[in-house]
Structures are given as C-alpha cells and as structure tokens.
Amino acid sequence: MANVLVVAEHLDGKLRKVTLPTITFAQQTAALTGGEVHVLVLGNGTDAVAAEVAKYGVSKVHFANSPVFENYLAETYAPAIVKAAQAIGATVVAAPSSTTGKDVLPRVAAKLDAGMVSDAIAVFDDGGIKFRRPLWAGNVLTTVEVVTPVKVITVRTTDFEAPAEGDAAAVEAFDAGLAAPDNAEFVSFDQVKSERPELTDAAVVVAGGRGLKSGENFQMIMNLADTLGGAVGASRAAVDSGYAPNDWQIGQTGKVVAPDLYFAVAISGAIQHLAGMKGSKTIVAINKDADAPIFQVADFGLVGDAFEIVPALTEKLKGIV
Ligand SMILES: Cc1cc2nc3c(=O)[nH]c(=O)nc-3n(C[C@H](O)[C@H](O)[C@H](O)COP(=O)(O)OP(=O)(O)OC[C@H]3O[C@@H](n4cnc5c(N)ncnc54)[C@H](O)[C@@H]3O)c2cc1C
C-alpha cells in the first residue's frame, strides 16, 4: 500500500493550523499513489488533538501518549515517525515546513533511506510523481522527482488550502515502544506568549519595516493589528535594527505567511521580504516612496507618510470592525 503519513503539530493541547494544509497535500499525493492518508500525533495527552484531526478527511489517526513525547525532541520523534511509517506502509511521509518539520524530517529521511523534498508547493503526476518547490527566494520554481521508494516531504503550508471537514476517521493508539534517549535531554521551551494570533496562522498580518525608525513606533503597527484581530510582523531590517523581535520576521530567512490581508508599512519590498508574503490574498502597501518595489505586488497602495496614514486608518477601522 502506498500510504501517506502526515506528522501532526500541536501546541498547548490544540492542533496547529499548519497541519491542515499538510493534510490537503497528503490527500492530493494519496490520490496519485492510490493509498490512504494516515496522521500521526505524538505527545502526552493527545486524545483531543487526535479527535480533532480525524475530522479532516483522513483514513486513520494514530496517537501516542507517552512521557517520552511530552516535549519535542528530534531524538525521540524521528524514530517514532519512522516506526509509524513502516507500520502503515507509508511511501510518503509529510510534515509542515515549520521549525519542527524542518528539524525532524531530515532525520526521518536518513533513517528510512529516503530522498527528501523541502518546501513542496505542488504535487502532480507527470509520468511519475513529481513535486514543485521554490529556490532562490521564490524566483525559481523547480520540479523534483524522488527516485527512492519512500519519499519524505516538508510542505509549504501557505500553498495549500485547509481540507473540508467530514466524517471522523478511526483513531488508534500507537505504541512507539521508545525509552527516553540517553544522548539528549529536554531542558526548556521558551515560548513567546501573545494574545495575538500566531503569525503563520493569522488571517490578517500587519508588518512594519525599517522606515518606522524605532521600536516605539511599532506601537502604531500593533494598534492597527489589534483593531483587526491580526498578528504583527516585521522586515528583517526592522528586526536587525532592534525595532521588532526576531520571531516577527517575515521573508526568506523568516516566516512565510499567506494571510487574507497583509499590510506592508514602510517596507521597501526586497525580494527576500516578498518571498515570505507574496502569497497573501490581498496586499496593502503604505510607503512614502511611490517607486518602492512593494507597490508591484500590492493590490492597494497608499503613497504617503505611515506616521499619518496608519493612526488615521486605525481610527477609521475602529468605527467599522
Ligand atoms: C540572504 C538574505 C536573506 C534575507 N532575508 C530577509 C527576510 O527574511 N526578510 C526581510 O524582510 N528581508 C530579508 N533580507 C533583507 C532584504 O534584502 C532587505 O534589506 C529588507 O527586507 C529591507 O527591509 P525594509 O524594507 O524594512 O527596509 P528598507 O529597504 O530600508 O525600506 C524602508 C522603506 O520604508 C519607507 N519609508 C521610510 N519612511 C517612511 C514613512 N515615514 N512612511 C512610509 N514609508 C516610509 C522607505 O521609502 C523604504 O521603502 C535578506 C537579505 C539577504 C541578503
């Protein structure tokens, strides 16, 4: 059986939204391989996550509850994923192209002697299953064929929609039979807690650039984001200048986002920034330079001073949303 195994991500007892487009990718792949989509949930106390993910048109969910998986460690997750993949006869193993997915799947590929594709944005049959992935900050799209029997894929989740909900699939306990590793130990997880939605999950993102000139001036970006229930992002230049924290960075070396609505405020639109946001459904650019490259990708452009436009826009929106 040429099944597809999806490794689910969850945080604080909730399924992370990045898992859903990964399931869509798996469904498209399974339609080509003729196999089923199975989902693996590793953790400790994962029953609710397993029940939730079962609703998204998959064949079966396997969940492991063990203190060994309480905290993510590549040293425990990789062998468990390998074991599950072998048990279900997976020929494709997929995970979101997130920090965790990028950390664990190369190890899974090595253990399965499998070829790997990172950041897949499409799968199709062209005389064999092929994958498309971006290179050079998205300026080149390449088609890749993996010739090993098992293929391991991280999925660019902004390029796939979430699957429709349907009847709940069977949920089954999975015993990985693993003990805690003796070569690695979980020390701590410093999670950034915020009332705002997670940047990669948010429907609205308001991002600021170096043109804001200081960290204090990011307050107006936060005010606009909060008015719209959105997340806050930043260009790398703003992060490097110390105006915004690292985990807000969007772009080639930051996060990739594709919200319904993206505001680029005082961001010039360098290709490395566009690589992280050009898939957004509607892009609004606010920049005082009418020739700024960001206007080439913007659906709506406001040429003017962000220090006047953003507070005025926020006030107007407060009366509407
Ligand atoms: C290998 C590599 C990886 C990179 N990865 C990333 C990445 O992941 N993300 C990323 O963002 N960049 C990345 N960069 C950096 C990228 O090349 C740009 O330097 C960066 O995106 C520029 O950020 P910016 O637009 O905020 O700043 P600038 O290019 O300095 O633009 C500032 C903009 O603000 C406008 N402005 C100034 N004042 C105002 C005002 N009062 N009102 C309105 N507009 C105003 C200006 O007209 C200008 O367009 C990377 C570069 C390299 C080489």
Side-chain angles (χ1 to χ4, degrees), residues 1-4 26-37 91-92 123 125 129 131 151:
M1 266 205 296
N3 290 330
V4 182
Q27 289 167 338
Q28 293 176 6
T29 307
L32 302 175
T33 62
E36 295 176 344
V37 176
T91 55
V92 175
V123 56
D125 192 339
I129 293 181
F131 304 92
K151 306 163 200 344

Side-chain angles (χ1 to χ4, degrees), residues 208-213 234-238 249-254 266-270 272-273 286-289 292 304-307:
R210 178 156 49 194
L212 291 175
K213 297 183 180 67
S235 70
R236 177 164 158 178
Q249 187 180 318
I250 292 166
Q252 184 188 343
T253 42
I267 290 177
S268 59
Q272 295 90 354
H273 187 78
I286 301 170
N287 199 302
K288 67 178 184 185
D289 174 8
D305 188 347
F307 295 101

Side-chain angles (χ1 to χ4, degrees), residues 206-222:
V206 184
R210 178 156 49 194
L212 291 175
K213 297 183 180 67
S214 76
E216 290 73 52
N217 290 337
F218 255 79
Q219 189 57 50
M220 68 181 183
I221 300 295
M222 294 185 235

